[in-house]
């Protein structure tokens, strides 16, 4: 105890017990440790003292009524241990409260989404950039199955590595799929590699097309957010009309089928050199046998390269693959 008192005298008991006791109560505890029990008869100001109440409630002192009322200090090691246990219990209770509130928030959010069509018009225009940003976040948090995005190179401010839109953990835990298609010029912007890497690590599936006509956000099959200007921040249209949203969903899926995946570094996934050679000859109209003779490989190898390329492009037949490769010029990029 003498060691504790020596430290207390140097630092001040209120500093030693900060977070456990308020300053006046800590100083009274130091007084009890220094002088021993205090008799209420000799110190009547302690009878209804809030400091005494705090010490007793926190377990740093107790009242003894044998003979005459006395305030007795509790041994520091035992008092501090009990106080820390009490704090741990409070932290656990707070954590449980946070978890419960989050669960209730999800229930309320689903209820809001389920009745949103009754409260909102089918088409609504927003012009406040802050309101548009908040709406984007709200749409993301409300997603139940799918959150889809088209991203063009038109930004109000150039993006950096922090521009990555990382999906919220609670939304990913619901099994929501996040898909994004970039316009190719986005990949040439400063910090694009880091931005795309963070998006991929955060849970996005990423693809790229040579160009896109506009930005777009799609949430499940019930809402779409479309830009009024190129950046999407001067104005945006929230669409809840089922027919329009369904058409926009079909449009996104068509683009997704044409787009090529991005690898982990944000650089377009490449056809191998052998695949490029086979695809160029396939596009020229050669049969598998002619391609094999020209490249001095087996027909089986030719078919294997073509099959891998079809899977990579995301189609199941050569005619469609040829149309996409020629139209979008993918072979010219590698």
């Amino acid at each position: 105890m003498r060691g504790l008192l020596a430290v207390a005298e140097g630092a001040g008991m209120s500093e030693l017990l900060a977070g456990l006791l308020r300053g006046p109560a800590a100083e009274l505890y130091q007084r009890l440790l220094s002088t021993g029990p205090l008799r209420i008869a000799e110190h009547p100001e302690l009878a209804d003292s809030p400091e005494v109440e705090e010490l007793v409630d926190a377990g740093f002192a107790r009242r003894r009524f044998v003979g005459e009322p006395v305030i007795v200090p509790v041994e520091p090691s035992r008092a501090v241990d009990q106080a820390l246990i009490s704090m741990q219990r409070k932290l656990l209770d707070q954590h449980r409260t946070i978890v419960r509130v989050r669960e209730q928030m999800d229930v309320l959010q689903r209820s809001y989404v389920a009745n949103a069509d009754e409260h909102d018009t089918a088409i609504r225009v927003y012009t406040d950039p802050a309101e548009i940003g908040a709406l984007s976040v709200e749409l993301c948090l409300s997603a139940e199955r799918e959150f889809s995005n088209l991203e063009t190179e038109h930004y109000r401010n150039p993006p950096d590595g922090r521009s990555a839109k990382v999906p919220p953990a609670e939304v990913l835990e619901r099994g929501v799929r996040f898909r994004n298609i970039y316009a190719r010029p986005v990949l040439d912007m400063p910090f694009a590699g880091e931005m795309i890497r963070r998006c991929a690590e955060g849970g996005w599936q990423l693809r790229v097309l040579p160009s896109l006509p506009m930005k777009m956000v799609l949430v499940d099959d019930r809402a779409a957010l479309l830009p009024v200007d190129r950046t999407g921040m001067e104005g945006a249209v929230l669409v809840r009309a089922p027919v329009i949203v369904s058409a926009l969903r079909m449009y996104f899926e068509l683009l997704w089928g044409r787009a090529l995946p991005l690898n982990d570094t944000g650089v377009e996934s490449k056809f191998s050199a052998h695949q490029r050679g086979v695809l160029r000859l396939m596009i020229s109209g050669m049969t598998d046998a002619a391609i094999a003779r020209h490249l001095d490989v087996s027909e089986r190898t030719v078919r294997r390269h073509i099959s891998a390329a079809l899977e990579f492009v995301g189609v199941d037949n050569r005619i469609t693959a040829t149309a996409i490769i020629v139209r979008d010029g993918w072979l010219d990029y590698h």
Side-chain angles (χ1 to χ4, degrees):
M1 183 176 292
R2 289 179 180 176
L4 175 63
L5 292 177
V7 174
E9 290 174 358
M13 186 65 74
S14 59
E15 294 182 18
L16 286 176
L17 298 178
L20 300 179
L21 294 173
R22 290 180 296 179
E27 297 304 325
L28 177 58
Y29 184 61
Q30 180 180 3
R31 179 181 172 189
L32 287 169
L33 294 178
S34 301
T35 64
L38 297 175
R39 294 179 176 82
I40 297 298
E42 298 177 1
H43 303 278
E45 74 279 2
L46 298 179
D48 298 317
S49 168
E51 289 77 20
V52 171
E53 293 297 329
E54 182 176 347
L55 290 179
V56 173
D57 291 342
F60 282 82
R62 57 188 176 85
R63 292 186 178 90
R64 190 175 64 192
F65 294 96
V66 178
E68 59 179 322
V70 177
I71 306 300
V72 180
V74 173
E75 183 181 1
S77 60
R78 182 155 58 92
V80 172
D81 281 344
Q82 290 299 320
L84 292 177
I85 291 173
S86 177
M87 288 183 66
Q88 289 173 341
R89 288 174 178 168
K90 291 179 180 178
L91 289 173
L92 180 59
D93 289 341
Q94 290 175 350
H95 175 71
R96 289 171 176 167
T97 299
I98 291 172
V99 171
R100 185 174 65 255
V101 170
R102 283 190 176 276
E103 291 174 349
Q104 293 172 345
M105 179 189 69
D106 290 340
V107 172
L108 293 172
Q109 183 67 28
R110 287 194 292 271
S111 176
Y112 170 80
V113 170
N115 297 291
D117 289 340
E118 299 179 6
H119 303 303
D120 295 331
T121 57
I123 298 177
R124 183 175 178 182
V125 178
Y126 294 82
T127 57
D128 181 5
E131 193 174 10
I132 295 171
L135 178 60
S136 297
V137 174
E138 179 184 336
L139 290 173
C140 179
L141 292 175
S142 70
E144 296 179 351
R145 297 180 306 279
E146 175 91 24
F147 187 86
S148 309
N149 189 63
L150 298 181
E151 194 69 63
T152 70
E153 67 275 21
H154 303 293
Y155 291 88
R156 167 174 288 186
N157 298 308
D160 57 26
R162 294 169 295 180
S163 300
K165 301 173 182 177
V166 180
E170 60 268 29
V171 182
L172 286 172
E173 289 172 0
R174 295 202 298 266
V176 176
R177 181 168 67 156
F178 284 78
R179 292 190 292 170
N180 190 22
I181 303 175
Y182 288 105
R184 181 180 172 77
V186 175
L187 306 187
D188 299 325
M189 303 183 76
F191 305 104
E194 182 183 359
M195 180 179 68
I196 292 171
R197 177 184 60 79
R198 290 189 179 186
C199 286
E201 291 175 351
W204 284 92
Q205 298 177 34
L206 304 174
R207 293 193 177 187
V208 63
L209 279 171
S211 63
L212 289 170
M214 64 179 181
K215 296 175 181 286
M216 181 172 69
V217 172
L218 274 173
V219 182
D220 301 322
D221 294 316
R222 56 184 176 76
L225 189 63
L226 307 174
V228 172
D229 67 305
R230 286 181 174 272
T231 65
M233 293 304 294
E234 295 300 328
V237 179
L238 177 64
V239 180
R240 295 189 183 275
V243 173
I244 300 177
V245 175
S246 178
L248 292 172
R249 169 60 62 190
M250 292 179 64
Y251 175 63
F252 179 87
E253 296 301 339
L254 287 172
L255 294 178
W256 186 258
R258 291 172 47 193
L260 291 185
L262 295 174
N263 62 20
D264 293 339
T265 62
V267 179
E268 293 163 59
S269 301
K270 300 178 180 180
F271 294 121
S272 69
H274 293 300
Q275 287 174 342
R276 293 199 301 273
V278 169
L279 290 175
R280 288 191 180 99
L281 297 177
M282 180 192 78
I283 291 171
S284 71
M286 283 189 178
T287 64
D288 290 355
I291 295 173
R293 288 194 301 272
H294 185 83
L295 297 178
D296 194 23
V297 296
S298 68
E299 288 187 46
R300 181 178 179 182
T301 298
V302 171
R303 288 192 293 271
R304 178 168 54 82
H305 286 316
I306 292 176
S307 177
L310 294 182
E311 181 179 358
F312 182 73
V313 175
V315 298
D316 58 5
N317 65 84
R318 301 183 186 197
I319 295 175
T320 304
T322 298
I324 292 175
I325 291 170
V326 172
R327 179 188 59 206
D328 296 340
W330 290 116
L331 287 179
D332 295 337
Y333 296 153
H334 307 292

